[in-house]
Amino acid sequence: MSVIRERRERERARRHQLIITAARELAEAEGWEAVTTRRLAERVEYSQPVLYSHFSGKDAIVRAVAIDGFGELAAHLRRARSAGPEPRQALHAVCRAYLEFATERPALYQAMFVMPTDMKFAHAETPPPLRAAFDELVSCFRPDNARRELFAEVIWSALHGMAALADSGRIPSDGQEERLDFLVTQLADTPD
């Protein structure tokens, strides 16, 4: 590959990431409704046609933001899981880390789980960062547990419900630790 071609590819990758970062920052500051191709083009100082050479539209940008978010979530959950010396503590730490992630990055969480997307969960086409985040939950259960993926799905579903209900103010935040304790107690030591 020529030096010029390599440089162009690096520049294209840099612009691609710049657009993703700008979309995420704008969404965190003003909400996803503020993220338009016109505003993004102004923010990254490129024309709208340059934006469209990277993404087909807002949905594609949201998808890219979500995939980046799943990579971050996987790393966040991995750190939490690694800090727990035994499975029950690891599961509790991962659950807490998940809810912290949702609370601290609301627009990112919304792109990952609430906004329409063509990403497939639990499928051969599942993006690797999404699978990596799910695998951190799976890793909280014993390897010999034949139903560990099922348990991880139930945990993920419950955590998502708790995050969504807390975000909308429908459940009080002061009961979160008790809910987490209950959830972990019900599933952490479940035999397969």
Side-chain angles (χ1 to χ4, degrees):
M1 183 182 295
S2 74
V3 173
I4 293 172
R5 186 172 174 195
E6 287 177 13
R7 189 181 80 234
R8 283 184 183 150
E9 287 182 13
R10 280 193 312 270
E11 177 59 26
R12 181 170 176 74
R14 188 190 70 72
R15 272 194 319 262
H16 188 86
Q17 189 58 50
L18 179 66
I19 295 165
I20 293 169
T21 301
R24 181 175 166 178
E25 289 172 353
L26 187 56
E28 290 292 353
E30 300 178 37
W32 279 105
E33 51 287 335
V35 179
T36 64
T37 54
R38 182 187 57 74
R39 295 237 5 235
L40 282 176
E42 290 170 1
R43 193 173 190 120
V44 297
E45 298 177 345
Y46 287 107
S47 67
Q48 284 184 315
V50 170
L51 230 68
Y52 283 113
S53 74
H54 288 271
F55 299 99
S56 60
K58 183 176 175 177
D59 290 346
I61 294 168
V62 171
R63 183 183 200 280
V65 168
I67 289 172
D68 272 7
F70 281 112
E72 287 180 32
L73 177 61
H76 191 66
L77 298 181
R78 189 174 309 111
R79 283 188 300 274
R81 184 179 54 80
S82 299
E86 57 117 271
R88 183 184 215 136
Q89 289 173 326
L91 181 60
H92 201 281
V94 165
C95 291
R96 183 180 293 113
Y98 181 98
L99 292 174
E100 288 169 359
F101 184 92
T103 301
E104 293 168 2
R105 301 165 182 87
L108 180 58
Y109 189 83
Q110 192 175 32
M112 294 163 64
F113 293 107
V114 179
M115 297 181 73
T117 179
D118 66 351
M119 284 188 294
K120 298 180 191 286
F121 288 63
H123 192 272
E125 297 172 19
T126 299
L130 194 158
R131 183 67 206 192
F134 179 71
D135 285 345
E136 289 305 319
L137 286 166
V138 172
S139 295
C140 292
F141 297 96
R142 296 186 325 266
D144 63 338
N145 184 333
R147 298 187 312 164
R148 62 193 266 186
E149 287 205 3
L150 171 68
F151 293 161
E153 286 175 349
V154 171
I155 290 280
W156 196 329
S157 299
L159 292 172
H160 175 67
M162 287 167 33
L165 291 169
D167 183 55
S168 66
R170 291 187 172 98
I171 58 174
S173 60
D174 61 354
Q176 180 170 294
E177 206 54 39
E178 185 177 2
R179 286 187 288 275
L180 278 180
D181 288 342
F182 177 78
L183 183 62
V184 170
T185 300
Q186 295 305 307
L187 289 175
D189 300 320
T190 306
D192 60 329

